[in-house]
Amino acid sequence: MEKEKAVRLLDVAHRAGVGVGTASRVLNHEPGVSEEKRQRVLRAIEEMGYRRNAIARSLKVNRTKTLGVIIPDIANEFYCEVVRGAEDAACSQHYNIILCSTDSDTRREISTITMLAEKQVDGVIMLSYECRPETLDALKCAGLPTALISTLCTDDAFITINISNFKAAYEAVEHLIALGHRSIAMLAGPANDIDGGENRLLGYRDALVAHGLQPRTPDALVVQSSAYSYEAGYACTQKLLASQQVFTAVFAASDHMAVGCVKALWDSGLRVPEDISVVGFDNLSITEYSTPPITTVNQPRYEMGRLAAQKICAVLAGQPMEQRHMTLQHNIVCRGSTSVPGLLERYVQK
Amino acid sequence: MEKEKAVRLLDVAHRAGVGVGTASRVLNHEPGVSEEKRQRVLRAIEEMGYRRNAIARSLKVNRTKTLGVIIPDIANEFYCEVVRGAEDAACSQHYNIILCSTDSDTRREISTITMLAEKQVDGVIMLSYECRPETLDALKCAGLPTALISTLCTDDAFITINISNFKAAYEAVEHLIALGHRSIAMLAGPANDIDGGENRLLGYRDALVAHGLQPRTPDALVVQSSAYSYEAGYACTQKLLASQQVFTAVFAASDHMAVGCVKALWDSGLRVPEDISVVGFDNLSITEYSTPPITTVNQPRYEMGRLAAQKICAVLAGQPMEQRHMTLQHNIVCRGSTSVPGLLERYVQK
DNA sequence: CTGAAAGCGCTAACAG
DNA sequence: CTGTTAGCGCTTTCAG
């Protein structure tokens, strides 16, 4: 498997009997080459199976037509779609993507940023569970156009793309209230996650207050989770059940938690949605295939990725940026896990 | 956002009062530099915030430490995990990954291969629904170490990584037979998909024959699908039901089809697994969260990606390849959608 | 319109 | 041990 010497533009030029400058001009569709020479060059390229060396080109033009995409984990459905959006937008502008999963580990994020900068990517798109200042510093230090997705950060050094977690949570809870629920519990995300954890909780609280449904003891129906997982959702629901509080609905900070919640309810003889309604967050595919299908908050994942790449490409193309911080629209997807409070009685009797 | 001139190794050398050669040696941890100069260079690097230009380096050493990964769609759960495996293995050898989704479109596959070759990737990992000869030619033409995953291809020009779809299907059907089923239907994948479609069907047939369970009319219980989707599974099951054939189990060529099948059965009053057992293929997360959870064939997706990248890296490191074609182990994951044939009677009475 | 020549930033071979 | 130098393959002046 020896790497035979590739044919260079110089070789092509020789074969075509022209200078390498001319050959280059043909390659780049530049005007100002006689039709005859152009044909000769094109033929030589064809005959010799010439393939341009993008590395050499990049070194010269100081541009790689490559974007770095940093995410926690490509095996996570949420990020998959974001990446596909980014890839499609990048691809349409003839950019490629170097994909880097970091498991949201700050050290790996930083070393990844360094590596991407060394590889001279033209821009960066980043997602992280929790974007630490060190990471942000590294990003700034790299001096590349950067888009942050789902990261609470208003630094004008970055383009940011988000949904309003507060508003989304508020509306999710309002949806339950509209159905007639008055005692609504929440399985909150990790407190150190400002956006997905904190803000969804704030939205929940505000919705209750706005409708006069706040329990005497504030947050009596809130269980703080340490993770967004199925197991966490299951455990938190058990804790909620054990607290003997009365509730007819629960709003979970993630879909996995919602599914775990449904299971925990089921396991203690409660039915969804007949006894308890459940709402999730993110609109992952499990919500569609669960029994019952789960009502959830949809984030426009593909669009977030697409927009991020599009904006970066626009910056790189020298277009003026009107807006650096964007909030995209979420929407509530109503499925079978929510209904009117119905059979609360059965639960209370217990 | 002007791209200010980056500091070069030459600048570092000047500052440290040494030649670029020495600075380069320090950078590459090469021996033969006095401790004093090494320190001076290291300090200068630190002070000036020097960052190596990997593009320039690549041009010189003719190696980019980058692998191209070509897949149909990163938003598809199956590929996500493969990619994560590839990424992890690549990363451990200090390689990065350029990710390219092609939707399995031959034209896009070919143009992607060309682009990756131009970007001088050191190797390629490719997955496709249906690997056409044109694609394989383009790959060969690129002259890069290449690993094909889940592609029926025995060309020694490529490293290949597969499971045995035949054996996996055979065992899936045998699992049903072991439970006592004697009339087993199959929802087969698209016929033009040799590996996922054809070979799974062959495995099904062989298992029936081996156990003397072949129906009088061969393939009387086979419904050929044109896709692997939920909708296709639903439609095929309806067709099967309409045929008035008796069966107590169905083997679907994909998990999505299996889920569609369960739904179709349910919609016509049949229960899974009480009336009919269902087996899927791929072990996607929906099988875990469906009701009932679905018995399926697991492919070691992460491992396939990991191994592909590992082998490519080994080739690039000049290690001799003992085996170019690998068949990995699948396994049957037993879940709630399969059981003994039980209540067939209810169905027959209809 | 076109050829020659000067680098892009880095590594590696070569004299000292 | 170390500084100098010649490219890697391409683009882009700059004369002609």
Side-chain angles (χ1 to χ4, degrees):
Chain A
M1 202 85 177
E2 280 309 309
K3 218 169 184 174
E4 68 250 42
K5 199 148 279 108
V7 357
R8 302 160 304 167
L9 194 52
L10 182 67
D11 304 321
V12 169
H14 282 164
R15 168 90 160 227
V18 304
V20 28
T22 303
S24 172
R25 279 183 277 266
V26 172
L27 205 57
N28 296 311
H29 308 100
E30 279 169 29
V33 177
S34 70
E35 193 48 32
E36 190 222 333
K37 299 210 169 182
R38 158 161 274 120
Q39 289 309 329
R40 291 225 303 272
V41 172
L42 257 16
R43 176 130 34 88
I45 285 177
E46 183 71 24
E47 289 170 355
M48 307 179 76
Y50 170 75
R51 190 167 279 168
R52 157 198 251 154
N53 183 328
I55 292 294
R57 174 168 227 270
S58 288
L59 178 60
K60 183 66 188 175
V61 302
N62 200 30
R63 177 164 44 76
T64 54
K65 283 281 180 182
T66 304
L67 263 30
V69 175
I70 306 174
I71 56 172
D73 179 14
I74 189 60
N76 176 316
E77 184 182 355
F78 186 88
Y79 302 109
C80 284
E81 271 216 42
V82 175
V83 170
R84 183 52 140 109
E87 209 201 317
D88 285 353
C91 196
S92 79
Q93 308 294 316
H94 306 291
Y95 280 84
N96 287 111
I97 272 177
I98 294 185
L99 183 76
C100 307
S101 296
T102 61
D103 291 318
S104 227
D105 176 86
T106 304
R107 296 174 98 85
R108 281 172 64 188
E109 284 174 354
I110 293 174
S111 68
T112 300
I113 292 163
T114 303
M115 172 251 110
L116 288 172
E118 291 188 349
K119 287 210 172 170
Q120 312 293 118
V121 297
D122 297 330
V124 174
I125 295 173
M126 166 145 180
L127 292 90
S128 179
Y129 296 137
E130 170 204 14
C131 225
R132 300 276 232 57
E134 300 95 291
T135 305
L136 262 20
D137 282 350
L139 240 18
K140 258 184 211 167
C141 185
L144 296 165
T146 300
L148 261 22
I149 298 179
S150 285
T151 307
L152 221 60
C153 169
T154 50
D155 193 322
D156 279 335
F158 306 112
I159 292 169
T160 64
I161 296 174
N162 288 287
I163 62 157
S164 168
N165 277 283
F166 174 87
K167 240 177 89 190
Y170 190 104
E171 286 175 22
V173 173
E174 249 185 352
H175 169 248
L176 290 169
I177 295 172
L179 285 169
H181 294 273
R182 305 196 60 81
S183 300
I184 301 170
M186 170 157 192
L187 310 185
N192 65 332
D193 178 354
I194 307 293
D195 207 31
E198 180 99 7
N199 280 339
R200 289 176 196 169
L201 178 56
L202 293 178
Y204 159 83
R205 283 191 193 130
D206 264 38
L208 292 190
V209 170
H211 292 267
L213 297 175
Q214 199 178 24
R216 305 116 242 121
T217 329
D219 284 358
L221 291 172
V222 173
V223 181
Q224 189 79 240
S225 174
S226 55
Y228 287 109
S229 66
Y230 172 91
E231 290 75 19
Y234 190 94
C236 288
T237 304
Q238 286 190 312
K239 203 184 295 181
L240 190 63
L241 256 10
S243 76
Q244 301 287 3
Q245 301 275 350
V246 174
F247 61 92
T248 63
V250 10
F251 169 47
S254 84
D255 283 337
H256 286 284
M257 291 169 83
V259 175
C261 174
V262 169
K263 183 66 163 66
L265 292 172
W266 178 279
D267 285 354
S268 49
L270 265 8
R271 292 295 125 91
V272 176
E274 292 82 354
D275 302 318
I276 308 278
S277 286
V278 174
V279 176
F281 207 109
D282 275 352
N283 194 23
L284 300 186
S285 61
I286 43 162
T287 59
E288 209 177 327
Y289 294 105
S290 285
T291 306
I294 295 178
T295 296
T296 187
V297 178
N298 179 60
Q299 295 202 49
R301 293 168 285 181
Y302 180 89
E303 182 63 12
M304 291 165 105
R306 200 191 61 74
L307 201 59
Q310 189 197 83
K311 290 295 171 188
I312 294 284
C313 291
V315 169
L316 291 170
Q319 289 169 33
M321 279 253 52
E322 63 292 349
Q323 221 191 322
R324 298 187 69 73
H325 305 293
M326 281 153 285
T327 303
L328 267 41
Q329 272 311 307
H330 59 268
N331 59 292
I332 311 286
V333 181
C334 291
R335 287 200 265 252
S337 68
T338 47
S339 72
V340 294
L343 311 179
L344 170 62
E345 292 65 29
R346 199 217 291 192
Y347 177 61
V348 174
Q349 279 170 15
K350 268 183 46 168
Chain B
M1 201 86 180
E2 279 309 308
K3 218 170 185 173
E4 69 250 42
K5 200 150 279 108
V7 354
R8 302 160 303 164
L9 195 50
L10 182 67
D11 304 321
V12 169
H14 282 164
R15 168 90 159 226
V18 304
V20 280
T22 304
S24 172
R25 280 183 277 266
V26 172
L27 205 59
N28 295 311
H29 308 101
E30 280 170 28
V33 177
S34 72
E35 193 48 32
E36 191 222 331
K37 299 211 169 182
R38 157 161 276 121
Q39 289 308 330
R40 291 226 303 271
V41 171
L42 256 16
R43 176 130 34 87
I45 285 177
E46 184 70 24
E47 291 171 353
M48 306 179 77
Y50 170 74
R51 191 166 278 167
R52 158 198 252 155
N53 184 328
I55 292 294
R57 173 168 227 269
S58 288
L59 179 58
K60 181 66 187 175
V61 302
N62 201 29
R63 178 165 44 74
T64 54
K65 283 280 180 182
T66 304
L67 263 29
V69 175
I70 307 174
I71 56 174
D73 180 14
I74 190 58
N76 176 318
E77 186 181 354
F78 186 88
Y79 303 110
C80 284
E81 271 217 42
V82 174
V83 170
R84 184 51 140 112
E87 208 200 318
D88 285 353
C91 197
S92 79
Q93 308 294 314
H94 306 289
Y95 279 84
N96 287 110
I97 273 177
I98 294 185
L99 182 76
C100 306
S101 296
T102 62
D103 292 318
S104 229
D105 177 87
T106 303
R107 295 174 98 86
R108 281 173 65 187
E109 284 174 352
I110 293 174
S111 69
T112 299
I113 292 164
T114 302
M115 173 249 110
L116 288 172
E118 290 187 350
K119 288 210 171 168
Q120 312 293 117
V121 297
D122 297 330
V124 174
I125 295 172
M126 167 145 181
L127 292 89
S128 180
Y129 297 137
E130 171 203 14
C131 226
R132 300 277 230 56
E134 300 95 291
T135 305
L136 261 20
D137 281 351
L139 239 17
K140 259 185 210 168
C141 186
L144 296 165
T146 300
L148 262 21
I149 298 179
S150 285
T151 307
L152 221 60
C153 169
T154 50
D155 193 321
D156 279 333
F158 306 111
I159 292 169
T160 64
I161 296 175
N162 287 288
I163 61 159
S164 167
N165 277 284
F166 174 86
K167 240 178 91 190
Y170 190 103
E171 286 174 23
V173 173
E174 247 183 353
H175 169 249
L176 290 168
I177 294 172
L179 284 170
H181 293 274
R182 307 197 57 82
S183 298
I184 302 170
M186 171 158 192
L187 310 185
N192 65 331
D193 178 354
I194 306 293
D195 206 32
E198 180 99 8
N199 281 338
R200 289 176 196 168
L201 178 56
L202 294 178
Y204 158 84
R205 282 192 194 131
D206 264 37
L208 291 191
V209 170
H211 292 267
L213 297 175
Q214 200 179 26
R216 305 117 242 122
T217 327
D219 285 359
L221 291 171
V222 173
V223 182
Q224 189 80 239
S225 174
S226 53
Y228 288 109
S229 67
Y230 172 91
E231 289 74 19
Y234 190 94
C236 288
T237 304
Q238 286 190 311
K239 203 184 294 180
L240 190 62
L241 255 12
S243 76
Q244 300 288 3
Q245 301 275 350
V246 174
F247 61 93
T248 63
V250 10
F251 169 47
S254 85
D255 283 337
H256 285 284
M257 289 169 83
V259 175
C261 173
V262 169
K263 182 65 162 67
L265 292 171
W266 178 278
D267 285 354
S268 47
L270 267 7
R271 290 297 124 91
V272 176
E274 294 82 354
D275 302 318
I276 308 277
S277 286
V278 173
V279 176
F281 207 109
D282 277 350
N283 193 25
L284 300 185
S285 62
I286 42 162
T287 58
E288 210 177 325
Y289 294 105
S290 284
T291 305
I294 294 179
T295 296
T296 187
V297 177
N298 179 59
Q299 296 201 48
R301 292 168 289 186
Y302 179 89
E303 182 62 12
M304 290 165 106
R306 200 191 60 75
L307 200 59
Q310 191 197 81
K311 291 295 172 191
I312 294 284
C313 291
V315 169
L316 291 170
Q319 289 169 34
M321 280 252 53
E322 62 292 348
Q323 223 192 320
R324 298 187 69 72
H325 305 293
M326 281 153 286
T327 304
L328 267 40
Q329 271 311 307
H330 58 267
N331 61 292
I332 311 287
V333 181
C334 290
R335 287 200 265 251
S337 68
T338 48
S339 72
V340 293
L343 310 179
L344 171 61
E345 293 66 29
R346 198 216 292 190
Y347 177 60
V348 175
Q349 279 170 16
K350 268 181 50 167

